[in-house]
Amino acid sequence: MNAILAIARKDLRIEWRTRTLLARVIPFALLVLVLFAVALDSEPLLLRAAAGLVWLAMLFAAMLLVQRSFDVETADHALDSLMSFVSSPSKVFFGKALSMFVQLFALAVVLLGAAVVLYGARVDGDSVVLLVTVLITATIGLSVVGTLYGVVVANMSGRDSLLPLLALPVLAPLLIGAARATEAALGSDTIDLANGWAWVALLVSYAVVFGSAGAVAFAPLAQSDS
Amino acid sequence: MNAILAIARKDLRIEWRTRTLLARVIPFALLVLVLFAVALDSEPLLLRAAAGLVWLAMLFAAMLLVQRSFDVETADHALDSLMSFVSSPSKVFFGKALSMFVQLFALAVVLLGAAVVLYGARVDGDSVVLLVTVLITATIGLSVVGTLYGVVVANMSGRDSLLPLLALPVLAPLLIGAARATEAALGSDTIDLANGWAWVALLVSYAVVFGSAGAVAFAPLAQSDS
Amino acid sequence: MALGGFPALAGVDLVVRCGELVALRGANGTGKSTLLRLCAGLAPLTRGSAHVLGFDVARQRDVVRTMVGLLGHDNGLYADLTARENVEFVAQLVGAGTNDVESALDRLGIDSRVAAARAGALSAGQRRRTALAALVVRRARLWLLDEPHAGLDGQARAELDGILRDATRSGATVVYTTHELEVPGARIPRTITLSGGIVARDVESADPS
Amino acid sequence: MALGGFPALAGVDLVVRCGELVALRGANGTGKSTLLRLCAGLAPLTRGSAHVLGFDVARQRDVVRTMVGLLGHDNGLYADLTARENVEFVAQLVGAGTNDVESALDRLGIDSRVAAARAGALSAGQRRRTALAALVVRRARLWLLDEPHAGLDGQARAELDGILRDATRSGATVVYTTHELEVPGARIPRTITLSGGIVARDVESADPS
Amino acid sequence: MKTGTTTTRVLGIFALLITTWVVVSAFFLTPADVVQGDSVRIMYAHVPTAWIAYLAFVTTAVASGLSLVRKHRTLGFDRVAGASAEVGVLFMAMTLITGSLWGRLTWGTFWQWDPRLTTTLFLFVTYVGYLAIRRVDVDPVRRARRSSVIALLAVLEIPLVHFSVVLWRSLHQEASVLNTDGDVRLDDLMLFTLFSGVVAFTLIFVWLVVHRQRLAAMSDVERLVGLDVAITARRAESTVGGGGI
Ligand code: HEM
Ligand SMILES: Nc1ncnc2c1ncn2[C@@H]1O[C@H](COP(=O)(O)OP(=O)(O)OP(=O)(O)O)[C@@H](O)[C@H]1O
Ligand SMILES: Nc1ncnc2c1ncn2[C@@H]1O[C@H](COP(=O)(O)OP(=O)(O)OP(=O)(O)O)[C@@H](O)[C@H]1O
Ligand SMILES: [Mg+2]
Ligand SMILES: [Mg+2]
């Protein structure tokens, strides 16, 4: 437990010092939202697609954060030693997933706020609970899958291009689930609250499956190549 | 001239050996097209936005290629020596931009083909000339801007997150121009062929401006920090 | 063991006793680094077997990993943490105290200005010293060091020799590689020379200090 | 000159003549690497001025760059090209021929198996040798080498000393840093010792070979 | 060296015979559909390729699991996993191609953003990624371990594809645009032909995997034989007693 926290704290300290999230990833994600607007070039369209686009931007931004999180480990081959400091490799997994969660959650809140401003999405009082639950469960799923695939490609050359290729198809169900649930929470006419909660259930099982897969699979994966 | 070709050849040889474009970036870009469809979740919408989405996917994929292109240079600090081998730094710029162009052009052709299949875009016989011209000019613009910003972030830590942040806003005009011109070539009802050629003129001047800017600015930028 | 089809090691038969201090020598590309990484469970074994501290490296990798401290050609530092924070992080994970951190930094001659600088902004030798400080804090049972002297100045080299000797005194086993020429004053208990992936020479010094 | 607010060099007053072979010494963090990078036009100059081969480093950076061959702590190799392709690439850019490539590889003891292996799959010393071969092909007028001996085995070190001497004979100027202990047999014409960012000692050997 | 044996040759001949029967039956014996006309004949290629792709990916997952568990046979199972995934990607590509041709004939477009089609595409890309990671040149044992984990995660997508239509409808209010299950009513001969197709493609799949796997095994053996030679050569490099430094 202690080790998990120490690792998460280390990651967050590096984040704080380099301000990657604040100064780069958040602006990048906002930029992506704007670019969607540019590419679509129509307001009613945007409003209809708002929830999906927010989560798509989250996915792209998450790729950057995951890459960053493992660049830090592999730049000077720190991951090899890190693995030798902990009694069980799964601690490294949960430590890194935890710091990832903290950062992604902050990002999700900002992006949702941006969608309200940019795309004119609306948040009602009674659906706030659903919205927060969606944010938390989807972000947990995103963190564990991101961390898992981050370590898969961690020691490979050209990992920048491999990570999205491997992780995005696996994240597609999460994208669909989170988008539909968020749509429900934002009061779309195509999907109601009850349905939104059904999607949340899907998100929860997604996070559980990949969380346990990650804990188990981390050890065989976290070995350097050269 | 010789040096430019030697540098481009070196980059393409590394690409051929690692198959980054073929095995990773192209599948990634296709995946992005699919994710757009999932996020938008509506077919008429997709058809309307097809051109914009293709170019947006190009932009994201280009970020990966640029990153890869400069990762190769900075992994072992090769860029410093490379700059000292050529008589003028602009040769390095044009060499790297050339290899980038070759790769991006191949990618653009594949993506457009995918748009035809997936989004139902249609290519008519008489607009093929416009389409090819757009592809070439926009890809040239993308290559020079990508290379220019690639070197800006080349020696910075956490460049994965910085590159899209810096380059994408600059590429926004290109996105708009290429999207509109492609729309015209694909025979949309909102924009006609003549208008398409006007956008091409814009793309050409964009490429010229950034091409010369890159040639001049490359030298002061390509200096390592540490 | 083979890397990418090329046999890096071609049958090293080698027993190192507990508490020994062993210098590994050999020309470039004879497989020294590969041997160390193998013992740390980081390189795969194609043929044969390797036991470290009584554990099989291939099968009980996780156990082996926790007992071995490896300093490779790279330092394994986080560039955005200061030198002190790097050592402190290791201390937290292995359960060492703040005193240990301070004394390790002190011993490696890392003064407070250097300790407070980002690891990424240190000179090559200062980074190497920081990595060594982290290794001291770690208190591994088997120390594997790949060219620990490279980049260190004369004073740090002398200090390093003292540290390695102290480690063996407290029961740890130390194996390190080096290309340094034999220095007249220094005495290394045992020198093993690799050549072409096998042990070519194994000399036990007459008077281990 | 200052890095991140900390003055790495505090007033080095130094003249190196053409065709000289100079060894730069000093404790870790005294600014040797910084000095070399400065002369190569890679580190910024905060105060004062530096002239290399008659050109101002700050103002005529592009000219200086093309005349200086720098081998830093890193090797500057492309991991996905083979050792030979790496040297060939340099040869193409500087206009050297295939013979030069072969003779450079030969001189550095890079046999055909090693030359045909990906640079990323070489041992530390083999990579260093490849970088040196590229430097030989380059034929710079000023050679700056940052710890060129680190990682090389005894044979390669001897070869390196020969190469540096040959370079000075053909009119090039060579400055290199080192932490090696003074080796009895070897003769270095001039040794400069840095300390605290200034020149502490400047010894000209009596009999430059 | 050859990769064929009597068994695989017999297998190959059977595959050929049944495929011939399927082709004849699909084009000449089975009736055209009332609604779709002759285009329904694509079904005999489309549906079996989809199912064989599933079979291939499940095989990959099983082989990967065994490769992780059976440590002394890691590489053997890993070869099967890799070969099977390659063939699976091939079949999935055929599903996509036949499907979109069929779509062109029945819907007038190559593609519809229907949940089954979309998830199929995701499945396809997932295994393209799997193959991409197998291409990265590392030590075989490490590659086996890494790709096994990915294969075990990837196979979870198959139920997603299969049940996507149901799942989507229960959760999604908008009815799916077009029912891909089609309004095809299958008579006995059609059904028989369809299942003959499945058998034929299964045989082809097995045949391909066996050969692909043997090819990989042979190059591995060659590598190991080469390794012995290389080890001898490597030992000869050593200068025993002489100075290595
Ligand atoms: C690119 C387009 C298409 C793709 C990617 C595709 C994909 C698939 C897949 C993956 C399956 C296996 C489903 C399973 O058993 O889990 C399947 C089955 C099937 N497809 Fe398609 N399909 C496409 C177009 C079509 C079209 C145009 C039709 C007919 C109008 C069609 C009719 C069928 C039928 C009848 C089955 C078997 C019954 C079933 O399992 O539902 N498909 N297709
Ligand atoms: N990028 C940087 N930012 C801030 N300070 C730096 C940076 N690089 C080096 N320094 C500091 O400048 C001083 C000189 O560093 P330099 O690398 O030149 O030393 P060196 O003599 O080469 O030492 P070594 O023998 O360890 O290689 C050191 O104290 C170091 O901490
Ligand atoms: N990742 C790899 N893939 C293929 N071959 C490799 C790899 N790493 C090392 N080798 C080869 O294995 C042999 C042994 O390498 P190793 O790094 O162990 O040598 P070393 O004794 O440490 O040499 P040095 O003194 O130069 O550090 C070398 O010939 C090298 O080319
Ligand atoms: Mg080594
Ligand atoms: Mg230095």
Side-chain angles (χ1 to χ4, degrees), chain A residues 148-149 152 156 165-166 169-170 172-173 176 180 190 195 198-199 209-210 213 217 220-221 223-225, chain E residues 122 125-126 129-130 132-133 136 138 142 145-146 149-150 153 156-157 160 167-168 170-174:
Chain A
L148 184 56
Y149 281 88
V152 168
M156 298 191 164
L165 179 59
L166 292 177
V170 176
I176 297 172
R180 295 298 158 269
T190 56
N195 242 309
W199 282 110
V209 167
F210 279 96
L221 291 176
Q223 269 177 36
S224 79
D225 295 323
Chain E
F122 281 130
V125 176
T126 304
Y130 171 84
I133 211 148
V136 176
V138 293
R142 193 151 293 161
R145 223 178 287 128
R146 176 151 39 201
V149 172
I150 295 175
L153 291 175
L156 297 177
E157 283 181 46
L160 204 72
L167 201 73
W168 201 265
S170 67
L171 291 171
H172 202 275
Q173 298 277 290
E174 291 173 357

Side-chain angles (χ1 to χ4, degrees), chain A residues 3 6-7 9-10 13-14 17-18 68 72-73 76-78 80 82-86 89 222-224 226, chain C residues 37 41-42 61-62 65-66 68 74-78 80-82 85 88-90 92-94 127 138:
Chain A
I7 291 167
R9 199 162 346 110
K10 184 260 304 171
R13 172 178 277 168
I14 292 177
R17 207 154 283 171
T18 58
R68 170 75 183 145
V72 160
E73 300 293 341
D76 197 22
H77 281 96
D80 285 349
L82 181 55
M83 295 297 290
S84 78
F85 298 148
V86 291
Q223 269 177 36
S224 79
S226 59
Chain C
R37 291 179 59 78
L42 290 175
R61 204 172 290 241
D62 281 349
R65 229 199 306 253
T66 57
V68 175
D74 293 302
N75 295 314
L77 299 179
Y78 296 103
D80 292 309
L81 297 183
T82 66
E85 282 167 349
E88 272 170 357
F89 177 58
V90 175
Q92 269 172 24
L93 290 181
V94 302
R127 269 203 298 277
R138 175 122 160 64

Side-chain angles (χ1 to χ4, degrees), chain D residues 2 20 28 34 43 48 58 82 103 125 133 143 191:
Chain D
E20 245 184 335
N28 289 140
T34 309
T82 66
S103 74
W143 296 41
T191 302

Side-chain angles (χ1 to χ4, degrees), chain C residues 115-133:
Chain C
R118 280 179 60 237
L122 294 179
S123 84
Q126 289 164 340
R127 269 203 298 277
R128 201 75 181 150
R129 288 176 185 220
T130 309
L132 284 168

Side-chain angles (χ1 to χ4, degrees), chain A residues 154-223:
Chain A
N155 281 300
M156 298 191 164
S157 84
R159 57 176 165 281
D160 294 344
S161 46
L162 259 183
L163 177 68
L165 179 59
L166 292 177
L168 288 180
V170 176
L171 286 169
L174 183 128
L175 171 65
I176 297 172
R180 295 298 158 269
T182 307
E183 234 171 71
L186 293 182
S188 131
D189 15 299
T190 56
I191 187 165
D192 62 13
L193 275 186
N195 242 309
W197 284 106
W199 282 110
V200 168
L202 195 105
L203 289 175
V204 170
S205 48
Y206 183 93
V208 169
V209 167
F210 279 96
S212 15
V216 176
F218 202 73
L221 291 176
Q223 269 177 36

Side-chain angles (χ1 to χ4, degrees), chain A residues 24-208:
Chain A
R24 302 181 181 181
V25 177
I26 289 183
F28 164 77
L30 293 177
L31 192 58
V32 170
L33 286 188
V34 175
L35 287 178
F36 284 150
V38 171
L40 287 185
D41 197 26
S42 138
E43 285 192 33
L45 274 187
L46 269 180
L47 182 54
R48 223 184 99 6
L53 294 180
V54 165
W55 283 104
L56 191 51
M58 271 293 282
L59 252 57
F60 286 129
M63 293 299 104
L64 292 187
L65 276 176
V66 169
Q67 229 130 40
R68 170 75 183 145
S69 171
F70 283 92
D71 270 0
V72 160
E73 300 293 341
T74 52
D76 197 22
H77 281 96
L79 190 57
D80 285 349
S81 357
L82 181 55
M83 295 297 290
S84 78
F85 298 148
V86 291
S87 50
S88 140
S90 64
K91 289 190 178 166
V92 177
F93 174 74
F94 285 118
K96 292 201 75 74
L98 179 58
S99 76
M100 191 62 59
F101 171 76
V102 173
Q103 299 177 53
L104 283 175
F105 188 73
L107 179 62
V109 172
V110 172
L111 281 192
L112 216 69
V116 170
V117 175
L118 290 178
Y119 297 168
R122 260 183 318 278
V123 182
D124 308 344
D126 54 342
S127 57
V128 160
V129 182
L130 173 60
L131 195 60
V132 172
T133 319
V134 174
L135 277 190
I136 292 177
T137 50
T139 308
I140 291 177
L142 193 49
S143 318
V144 294
V145 173
T147 309
L148 184 56
Y149 281 88
V151 75
V152 168
V153 301
N155 281 300
M156 298 191 164
S157 84
R159 57 176 165 281
D160 294 344
S161 46
L162 259 183
L163 177 68
L165 179 59
L166 292 177
L168 288 180
V170 176
L171 286 169
L174 183 128
L175 171 65
I176 297 172
R180 295 298 158 269
T182 307
E183 234 171 71
L186 293 182
S188 131
D189 15 299
T190 56
I191 187 165
D192 62 13
L193 275 186
N195 242 309
W197 284 106
W199 282 110
V200 168
L202 195 105
L203 289 175
V204 170
S205 48
Y206 183 93
V208 169

Side-chain angles (χ1 to χ4, degrees), chain B residues 7 11 62-63 65-67 69-70 73 79 89-101 104 139-154 163 167 171 210-211 213-215 217-218 221-222:
Chain B
I7 291 167
D11 272 5
M63 296 297 105
L65 277 177
V66 169
Q67 228 129 43
S69 171
F70 283 94
E73 299 294 342
L79 190 57
S90 64
K91 290 192 177 166
V92 177
F93 173 74
F94 285 118
K96 293 199 76 73
L98 178 59
S99 76
M100 190 63 59
F101 171 77
L104 282 176
T139 308
I140 292 178
L142 194 48
S143 318
V144 294
V145 172
T147 308
L148 185 57
Y149 281 88
V151 74
V152 169
V153 300
L163 176 68
L171 287 168
F210 278 97
F218 201 72
L221 292 176

Side-chain angles (χ1 to χ4, degrees), chain B residues 52-128:
Chain B
L53 294 179
V54 164
W55 282 104
L56 194 50
M58 271 294 281
L59 253 55
F60 285 130
M63 296 297 105
L64 291 188
L65 277 177
V66 169
Q67 228 129 43
R68 170 76 183 145
S69 171
F70 283 94
D71 269 0
V72 160
E73 299 294 342
T74 52
D76 197 23
H77 280 98
L79 190 57
D80 285 349
S81 356
L82 181 55
M83 296 297 289
S84 78
F85 298 148
V86 290
S87 50
S88 140
S90 64
K91 290 192 177 166
V92 177
F93 173 74
F94 285 118
K96 293 199 76 73
L98 178 59
S99 76
M100 190 63 59
F101 171 77
V102 173
Q103 299 178 53
L104 282 176
F105 188 73
L107 179 63
V109 171
V110 172
L111 281 191
L112 216 70
V116 169
V117 174
L118 292 180
Y119 295 169
R122 260 182 313 278
V123 182
D124 308 345
D126 54 342
S127 56
V128 161

